[in-house]
Each structure stands twice: as structure tokens, then as C-alpha cells.
Amino acid sequence: MSRHPKRRPRSRGSRGRGALPVVLIGALALAACAPATDAAWRPAAFPAARVAVGEFPAAIDPAAVPALRPVRIRNDEVGIQARVALLPGQTPLGDRVIGAVREAIGGREAATGVAYTPQVQARGAGLGDRRCVAESTRLPAADLLADPRLGPANGSGTAVACDIVVAAGPYLGMRVRTVSGDGTAISADTSATLYTDLRTGETVSADALWTLEAGPALWGDIVEALRRDAGALSLAPVQPPDEAGLAVIGAALARSVPAAGTVVVEVPAGFSPPELQALGIAATTEPMAVSVPLDVATPYLTPFGAGLAGAVASALPYEAPATIPAGAETIDCELVPCVALTYDDGPSPYTAGILDELKARDAAATFYVLGQLSRPYADALRRMRDEGHEIANHTWNHPSLPSLTDEQVAAQLRDTSAAIQSVVGTRPTSFRPPYGEYDQNVLRIAGLPAILWDVDTFDYQRPEIDTLIARAVDAPRPGSIVLMHDIHPGTAAAAAATYDGLLDRGFSLVTVTQIFEGDMPASGAWTSGR
């Protein structure tokens, strides 16, 4: 008998069952080694840009900004049209705005060899509309030049346009743009954005809203914003700007406009920093608005800039300056075409209607009043004074002065001046001899300049209203003195159409003193301001 009993062979099934516990044990061991999961985990976010490409703030409707004095000139011989806005009186902002207009005129004089003088157009020119055209400074240069409301005749020459960009609290902001070209090519295109503090008169360009550190500091933010806007996800650091880059960022800051919670800077077309070039991103083809949030901008704003930006961000109501009557304004009749409307022989019951029409157009006139009417119409004289019109001497009761004795001439003028002064507080600085009749003896006795006229409407002949309007509107030239009488109903009835017609031609309606640039001649006889 064998010592080793015969073993039974293992089935394949028994081998599979023996391996299963080993696999499960291994799997359990691996599971025990896995890290715990965090349901709140998120991928790291791309760093947020500090500034962003956005939209330019809309210009403000100039009709919504009180106390602006619009100015519009057009001279087809020199080839210029300009429309700008001034504050009441003579102000630093006004000086800079008019300076831009004069610079544009000088450029045209040099280009054409023609000296500038104020020019008016025929009736129907539409020059009575003088406010800034909202968004005109954002037009493509060629469109601005070709727009008949803005550009020179035939679109060839120079256009000066304006936009109101800020009116908040005591701050006013204005952009003035000058474009020159010949209709086929633009030869020059410049703009200035100006801000003024109405309380102090301090007036600065937009670049003065920022400290010297602002340009280098904001360069990287702006480049990064443009890189993001182009779709790049690069985190490569932005290199500091070189000299050319500083010039570009300086130009962008010089076009800054505060908006709600931001300051928008205008990056010029052609901007192409190395970081964008490295990504194959082409230079910008149009100006681009970059919005700098106020918390980013504030460390780099000057005190003026911070005050301005704060007023805009807080949406403070605009604190418009006090208006000045038209006759008290400083008018440069060497720049704008002026005409002096004069009324003789009143006041009368028709004078109030004439004053109403002048007031409605913020226009001024000179009234040569009779001394004998000064007390009966004292209220009319005081209204003339309060609304800025000029009150002058037309003798006591309208005699022909050369026919009087010396004492009678002296009494006619002396008593009238005294009566006017007793009502309005000031003495006249000129006189008008009745019928335009005078001699050297009359001038000597008067001691005042005799103001005559170069345009006689013959309203005392009671012409048809249309005839009277045509004479008063079509005949004047820059510097003219127009004779009318506020004692005739037809003259009063023609007043509104007369004023509108003169404004339409491009005239500013001024007093006699204004037409002499505020410096009335001491003596002599004068028929016009030129």
C-alpha cells in the first residue's frame, strides 16, 4: 500500500474564488489612501482688470445748460466757421475758447493771405442758431468739415466746434475741436478739453486733472485693458512706457472726461504698445474710451480733478453763474459782426413791446430819449437800464440845434442828461442831434460825441412792414448804426422779424458803446463803428 494517498485535483472554480478576497483587499487599501474632496473648490480666477474699455460719455445738450453765451462766426473769404460757447462776462475759460478761435483764424489768414474781418451773409444763412451742436466734436473729421452747420463754405477751410462735456456743481467742462482740410484731405485736427471752477474762475486743461505720476501708473492698466479687450489671456507683465508711450498716455489723459463713478480717458488711434504687438494685435484704428474707476483714479487726481470728478459722480445740480444783460457784456466787434440798433424820440407806449422782443433774444439796443418824456416814462427808462440797454440824450423837445442860441443848446442837452440821471442814476455818454443836424459849435457846447447813423430805415414815413424789415435787415454791414424810432406802431410791429433777420445774417445786436468796443469817442460826430 502506498504511503501517500492520491490528492484530488483542484477545480478551476476553486482557484477563482481564492483570488477574489485579495483583489478586494487591495482596492480597499487604495481607497483608504485617496485625499478628501472639497466641494467649495473653484479654479483660480483670472485677475480682474483695474480699468476697462467702454463708451465715451455723451455730450450735454447745450440748451440744458443755463447762462451760456453762444458765439458763431462765418467768413467765406478766409474760409472759416466757428461756433463756441462762453460764460457771462470776461472769464479765463472764455479767453481760452476765444484764443482757440483766433488761432484758427490766424491759420486761415496765413493759408489764404486774406486778412480776417467780421463778415455777414445774406438773409437765409441760418446763423441765428449759435449753440454748440451736441456730439459735433465726436464726428469724423471729414464729416465735421463738410457739415454746413459747422464747416466753412464748400467744406474747404477750418471748422471750430464745441461740446459741453460737464455741468455739475460749480464745474463746467467744454471740448473745443479745430479741423482743417480741403474736402479731400484733413490737414489738421486738434482738440482741447477745458474745465473751469465757477467759484474761483480757475480753468485747466484735462491733463491738469492728473498728477505727474498718473501717466506711468495708468499705462500698465490701460495696456492690460486693451490686451483683455482683444481677447488675450496673457499674464506677462507690462513694461513701463518709453518716451513715445508717455506721449500717448499724456494725450489720452488730455482728453479726460469724468462720468458717473469713473474718469474716461481717450486713447488716440494708432495705439500699439509692445505687449499688443507681441500678440499680433494690430494698432487701434479709432480713438478708444477707457474707463478708469474713481477708486483707481483718485490717487492720481489733483485737488481740482478730485473735486470735479466728485461733483460729477455725485450728480450735483449745476450751479449756473449769474447772467449779464446783453448790453453789459464785453463784445469783440473785431471778431463778431456787430450792428447797433438805435431808437429815437421815445419812450412811448410802443417801447415796452420793443423791449420784450429784445429780451427774448438776449439782444441790446440804444435809446435816444427826449428829456421831456423821461419822467412820464420813468418805468420804461428803468427797465432799459435793468435789461442792459443804453440810454442816451436826444435833447429835451427835439429842436434843430444849429438854429438855437448857445445857451438854448446847452439847456436842451444839460436838462435832458439831468432828467435821465434822476431816473436811472447815470448820465448819458453820447447824444443824437435831432434830424441829424449839428455844427461845430453844437459839438463844442455838447461836450459829448454826436452819434448819427449809416442806415436810415425811414420808418417815420410809415412804410409797409415788409419794406421796413428789408431796410433794417438787408442794409446794415458790420459796424453799422441803424436809425429807427420807437414811437411808430409799424416799427414795434417789425421788431421781432427785424431782430431775427439780423441774427440770421450773423449779426450780434449791440449798443452804440459796445460797437465802439466799450470806449465811446470823447467828441466828434460818428455815423458808424467803423
Side-chain angles (χ1 to χ4, degrees):
M1 173 179 271
S2 168
R3 300 177 63 180
H4 301 285
K6 192 173 183 179
R7 295 178 180 178
R8 295 178 180 175
R10 292 180 180 179
S11 70
R12 292 181 181 179
S14 66
R15 181 176 296 174
R17 286 193 300 270
L20 180 60
V22 176
V23 172
L24 290 174
I25 292 170
L28 290 173
L30 289 173
C33 296
T37 59
D38 182 359
W41 179 86
R42 297 290 184 275
F46 201 66
R50 285 164 33 102
V51 304
V53 176
E55 300 292 333
F56 291 112
I60 298 171
D61 180 359
V65 183
L68 289 179
R69 182 162 63 89
V71 174
R72 185 176 180 183
I73 63 168
R74 177 181 148 194
N75 185 304
D76 294 345
E77 293 180 359
V78 173
I80 188 168
Q81 182 166 195
R83 53 195 304 167
V84 294
L86 306 177
L87 289 167
Q90 189 167 4
T91 65
L93 176 64
D95 290 344
R96 294 183 69 164
V97 171
I98 292 299
V101 175
R102 289 197 174 280
E103 184 177 354
I105 289 172
R108 292 305 303 163
E109 288 179 320
T112 62
V114 177
Y116 175 86
T117 58
Q119 186 183 79
V120 292
Q121 311 300 322
R123 268 200 281 179
L127 298 178
D129 177 11
R130 300 180 183 185
R131 290 191 178 111
C132 301
V133 177
E135 302 293 348
S136 59
T137 63
R138 288 283 177 214
L139 289 172
D143 293 350
L144 193 159
L145 204 61
D147 190 323
R149 301 171 302 165
L150 302 164
N154 304 319
S156 181
T158 295
V160 182
C162 61
D163 265 319
I164 308 302
V165 297
V166 164
Y171 296 98
L172 179 74
M174 185 183 306
R175 184 166 51 241
V176 179
R177 184 179 177 195
T178 303
V179 176
S180 298
D182 62 4
T184 59
I186 302 300
S187 58
D189 185 357
T190 61
S191 67
T193 306
L194 305 170
Y195 297 97
T196 191
D197 185 333
L198 301 171
R199 299 165 299 187
T200 64
E202 182 182 3
T203 300
V204 303
S205 300
D207 55 352
L209 304 181
W210 304 92
T211 65
L212 294 176
E213 296 78 17
L218 294 177
W219 168 268
D221 291 326
I222 292 174
V223 172
E224 178 62 16
L226 296 179
R227 187 160 63 178
R228 297 280 188 90
D229 189 65
L233 300 178
S234 173
L235 290 175
V238 175
Q239 297 302 309
D242 57 15
E243 186 174 343
L246 286 175
V248 170
I249 195 68
L253 298 182
R255 294 173 174 85
S256 302
V257 177
T262 70
V263 181
V264 177
V265 301
E266 181 180 333
V267 179
F271 186 58
S272 183
E275 287 78 9
L276 297 187
Q277 294 178 25
L279 295 170
I281 299 172
T284 56
T285 58
E286 296 180 354
M288 184 174 294
V290 175
S291 181
V292 183
L294 207 51
D295 60 340
V296 175
T298 295
Y300 306 110
L301 292 173
T302 63
F304 188 105
L308 170 66
V312 175
S314 300
L316 296 182
Y318 179 55
E319 301 169 13
T323 58
I324 294 176
E329 280 284 6
T330 299
I331 304 292
D332 186 352
C333 293
E334 296 295 323
L335 177 66
V336 300
C338 296
V339 60
L341 301 179
T342 64
Y343 291 93
D344 286 11
D345 297 354
S348 81
Y350 305 111
T351 304
I354 290 172
L355 292 173
D356 289 343
E357 299 298 346
L358 288 167
K359 183 177 182 180
R361 293 157 181 81
D362 194 25
T366 300
F367 292 84
Y368 285 94
V369 305
L370 296 178
Q372 65 180 358
L373 297 175
S374 59
R375 287 202 175 278
Y377 287 95
D379 288 344
L381 263 64
R382 282 189 283 265
R383 182 181 174 188
M384 293 174 190
R385 174 200 63 193
D386 294 344
E387 295 180 4
H389 304 293
E390 186 170 10
I391 304 169
N393 188 321
H394 197 39
T395 75
W396 186 263
N397 59 358
H398 210 274
S400 173
L401 293 178
S403 67
L404 304 181
T405 67
D406 289 2
E407 177 53 36
Q408 288 172 328
V409 171
Q412 284 280 335
L413 297 173
R414 179 187 63 240
D415 293 352
T416 300
S417 289
I420 291 171
Q421 184 176 24
S422 70
V423 174
V424 301
T426 56
R427 295 179 70 84
T429 58
S430 71
F431 83 105
R432 172 166 286 165
Y435 315 107
E437 296 175 350
Y438 70 97
D439 56 25
Q440 291 303 311
N441 191 50
V442 168
L443 295 179
R444 177 185 60 81
I445 295 170
L448 296 171
I451 303 301
L452 305 174
W453 57 87
D454 66 331
V455 175
D456 190 344
T457 62
F458 298 100
D459 59 343
Y460 52 86
Q461 296 176 350
R462 309 292 179 95
E464 295 291 332
I465 296 295
D466 289 347
T467 300
L468 178 56
I469 293 169
R471 291 171 180 170
V473 171
D474 295 336
R477 58 182 177 80
S480 281
I481 299 174
V482 180
L483 171 63
M484 292 182 284
H485 301 78
D486 56 328
I487 61 173
H488 301 305
T491 302
T498 295
Y499 306 154
D500 288 342
L502 290 167
L503 293 169
D504 178 80
R505 292 188 63 201
F507 278 111
S508 291
L509 279 53
V510 302
T511 66
V512 168
T513 295
Q514 287 174 315
I515 216 164
F516 285 104
E517 302 287 333
D519 187 15
M520 183 73 78
S523 61
W526 302 83
T527 59
S528 73
R530 289 184 175 274

